[in-house]
Amino acid sequence: MGETGNHNHQPPPRQPPPGPVPPLGAARGPLYPPAEQLLQLHYCIHSNPSWHQTVLLAFQHYIVMLGTAVMIATVLVPRMGGGHGDKARVIQSMLFMSGINTLLQTLFGSRLPTVMGPSYAYFISVLLAINDFNDSNFTTEHERFTHIMRAVQGSLIVSSILNIIIGYGKAWGNLTRFFSPLVLVPVVCVVGLGLFARGFPQLGNCVEIGLPMLILLVISQQYLQHIHPKTRPILERFALLLCVGIIWAFAAILTVAGAYKNVRDQTKMSCRTDRSFLMSSAPWIKIPYPFQWGTPIFRASHVFGMMGAALVSSAESTGAFYAAARLAGATPPPSHVVSRSIGLQGIGQLLDGIFGSLVGSTVSVENVGLLGLTRVGSRRVVEISSGFMIFFSIFGKFGAFFASIPLPIFAAIYCVLYAIVAATGISFIQFANPNSMRNIYILGLSLFLGISIPQYFVMNTDMAGHGPAKTGAGWMT
């Protein structure tokens, strides 16, 4: 046999034993240990900026909360048969009750810097009431609107008992005792991510206004502040107000220039600054008063629907309380505080029904995100913002001026603020073991189902408010 010559090959050089593997991302910067409180806050819950900054920050909270009230009234009031004047009065009522409920919550409830605003959780319940009276005979559309409002009032009043019982009965607080950091991640995340339909889908109704607002807000808040030291505190805290003013003026120029003369009606409603008709229909001075729409109407089908919405709003508020506590530099609310807050939210819903608000109140998620955007968690700022809500609800013409801001501008703001709340929920994972496969399993399943299950009900609920459950009882469908 011939030689193959393999014996002439040199053995491979020996590699040095591998050293300790550096942690992921160690080459890019230091590792940060878990921190129970955020270190980048300028003002925490007990510290307050100067008075002129406090007033501007409070007005900013009012503007952010105003968008939700206008969106809900714009969608629901026309379906109820209401006109422009009815929509203006509904917005005034929701603003008035938001101011009252915010004061109650900050003074006697959670005592966190949380704005109480109208909740989307009651949307389907109101649609159900609208559908129930579609076949009724009314002499005018305004009469139909008033009748539906009285039915909504009655259901809000009765269903508020549920929140009062589970709150002051401490049942809800006992449930939050099981809220470990791992549980808080999906609870808070879903509060932000679950409102995705109010973000870019609404922004897309008028891209030429909404998209510049989103881009300008991100650039000014994250990049332009570094241009000069004097611009940093201004843009960090008031970039939202500046961007709203610039894009609102841009939308007004497009409207006057005739950019929306030959477009669809839906585009006109979303883009034009003169299609809200609130300035012409809102009264100069009007104080909302109890039972302003008439004697409440009580129906079992509406009450059961509102009870479900009340539970959803309680869960939404609970996640928002924990997010607000973290963004305001406060300790997480203990169980007895959460119970007291949910009970007081039930009282607020009772007042919503008495004063004729269209939907119940919950913690405004977008205003919680604003705490992180401005890095100001002062409770005084939120308390003063409630004064703006009450003032502009009474002096209707002034409130209608700001309520005429095109809705895509608000949608662009929500894209940022909801994202901040969702990311705040993710930050709680630092207090759990993120390398545990069991934790990964629980976290992933909770987040996915927390978004996927509500989407199933949204996709299978018709415009009349009927969901996928089909039973013989009308109040369960």
Side-chain angles (χ1 to χ4, degrees), residues 26-71:
R28 298 187 179 183
L31 297 178
Y32 297 97
E36 293 187 4
Q37 293 186 346
L38 300 175
L39 304 179
Q40 294 83 13
L41 295 178
H42 297 157
Y43 298 94
C44 65
I45 186 171
H46 295 300
S47 57
N48 303 304
S50 59
W51 276 106
H52 67 278
Q53 291 190 50
T54 299
V55 172
L56 282 176
L57 289 166
F59 181 72
Q60 197 166 230
H61 273 280
Y62 160 74
I63 290 294
V64 169
M65 173 266 159
L66 176 64
T68 302
V70 175
M71 281 185 181

Side-chain angles (χ1 to χ4, degrees), residues 235-420:
L235 293 178
E236 273 187 346
R237 299 171 196 173
F238 308 110
L240 190 146
L241 275 181
L242 293 174
C243 293
V244 168
I246 292 172
I247 302 301
W248 191 11
F250 174 65
I253 292 173
L254 291 179
T255 301
V256 175
Y260 303 111
K261 286 184 177 180
N262 301 315
V263 296
R264 297 178 304 155
D265 291 338
Q266 179 62 36
T267 303
K268 291 180 180 180
M269 290 295 297
S270 300
C271 300
R272 293 182 66 98
T273 58
D274 58 355
R275 282 308 177 99
S276 64
F277 301 106
L278 293 176
M279 284 292 295
S280 58
S281 54
W284 278 102
I285 300 177
K286 183 175 179 59
I287 301 176
Y289 55 90
F291 307 117
Q292 58 179 321
W293 309 107
T295 306
I297 299 174
F298 303 96
R299 293 184 65 168
S301 58
H302 303 159
V303 170
F304 278 99
M306 284 294 180
M307 282 185 176
L311 286 176
V312 173
S313 67
S314 297
E316 184 179 14
S317 293
T318 302
F321 283 141
Y322 284 97
R326 182 155 178 77
L327 291 173
T331 56
S335 59
H336 71 276
V337 172
V338 175
S339 283
R340 183 180 67 203
S341 304
I342 297 302
L344 191 58
Q345 182 173 316
I347 294 178
Q349 183 178 332
L350 175 64
L351 294 175
D352 289 332
I354 293 175
F355 280 84
S357 180
L358 183 55
V359 293
S361 298
T362 187
V363 175
S364 175
V365 179
E366 52 269 26
N367 287 88
V368 174
L370 187 59
L371 300 178
L373 185 72
T374 59
R375 303 183 186 182
V376 177
S378 170
R379 185 168 55 218
R380 177 186 292 175
V381 170
V382 173
E383 291 172 347
I384 293 179
S385 73
S386 66
F388 280 110
M389 299 173 203
I390 296 174
F391 174 84
F392 286 116
S393 67
I394 295 175
F395 297 92
K397 292 291 185 183
F398 298 99
F401 174 73
F402 296 105
S404 62
I405 298 174
L407 295 181
I409 293 180
F410 289 112
I413 296 172
Y414 297 160
C415 288
V416 176
L417 301 184
Y418 291 155
I420 291 176

Side-chain angles (χ1 to χ4, degrees), residues 171-230:
W172 196 266
N174 291 334
L175 177 64
T176 61
R177 294 179 187 272
F178 300 99
F179 279 16
S180 64
L182 183 64
V183 174
L184 284 176
V185 175
V187 167
V188 179
C189 275
V190 170
V191 167
L193 296 178
L195 297 170
F196 65 90
R198 315 301 171 195
F200 206 88
Q202 296 288 334
L203 180 153
N205 291 333
C206 189
V207 177
E208 60 268 29
I209 292 177
L211 195 57
M213 177 65 196
L214 177 59
I215 295 173
L216 183 62
L217 179 59
V218 173
I219 291 177
S220 61
Q221 226 274 335
Q222 294 297 321
Y223 298 101
L224 293 183
Q225 59 172 296
H226 302 295
I227 293 178
H228 194 277
K230 291 185 178 180

Side-chain angles (χ1 to χ4, degrees), residues 180 182 433-446:
S180 64
L182 183 64
N433 181 9
N435 298 315
S436 167
M437 282 306 302
R438 183 175 183 273
N439 288 353
I440 292 174
Y441 178 90
I442 294 172
L443 181 59
L445 188 65
S446 302

Side-chain angles (χ1 to χ4, degrees), residues 73-119:
T74 300
V75 174
L76 292 179
V77 172
R79 296 182 182 178
M80 299 166 65
H84 301 304
D86 297 319
K87 183 172 74 170
R89 290 178 61 192
V90 166
I91 293 175
Q92 284 181 276
S93 299
M94 287 194 288
L95 286 178
F96 183 79
M97 290 314 306
S98 294
I100 297 297
N101 289 330
T102 298
L103 272 181
L104 292 176
Q105 200 65 247
T106 53
L107 295 176
F108 309 109
S110 66
R111 308 202 73 230
L112 290 168
T114 51
V115 172
M116 302 297 293
S119 173

